Amino acid sequence: MAQYGGKYPYHRYLIGVIAPALAWPTVFLPLDYALLVQFVGFVGMYFADSQATTWGWAPRWYMTYRFILTFVVGACMIMTLIGRGQVRCLPC
């Protein structure tokens, strides 16, 4: 990603800073709500990164990495909610 260092630095920096800034207040929410809000945030950031890649702000391979990251984190959050009994799985 070094070749992208000089192109659109502020746009990329803004996307990278806004996500954690919006996520920090979720530490004050009850766990179940926090996980749900963070899940929605991760999926939202996936779509934002997808758009940024389309605009050429990131290399194409980044979306493969981002998809895997979003899938693993989202699955962990959903499994946590299921384990806590807040979301019912179909066979249960």
Side-chain angles (χ1 to χ4, degrees):
M1 291 185 57
Q3 71 182 12
Y4 291 90
K7 297 180 183 178
Y8 312 107
Y10 295 111
H11 297 93
R12 292 171 38 143
Y13 179 71
L14 184 64
I15 290 172
V17 169
I18 283 184
L22 293 175
W24 265 104
T26 64
V27 300
F28 299 111
L29 294 174
L31 180 63
D32 303 324
Y33 294 117
L35 285 173
L36 186 61
V37 170
Q38 290 170 4
F39 175 78
V40 170
F42 260 93
V43 172
M45 280 308 300
Y46 171 79
F47 288 111
D49 286 340
S50 174
Q51 190 64 45
T53 302
T54 301
W55 290 336
W57 297 355
R60 290 276 178 215
W61 60 261
Y62 179 70
M63 283 314 299
T64 303
Y65 161 76
R66 186 66 177 148
F67 176 79
I68 293 169
L69 173 70
T70 302
F71 181 80
V72 169
V73 170
C76 289
M77 290 179 176
I78 296 299
M79 286 188 296
T80 301
L81 288 170
I82 290 170
R84 291 179 47 81
Q86 300 303 316
V87 176
R88 293 188 50 99
C89 57
L90 294 177
C92 296

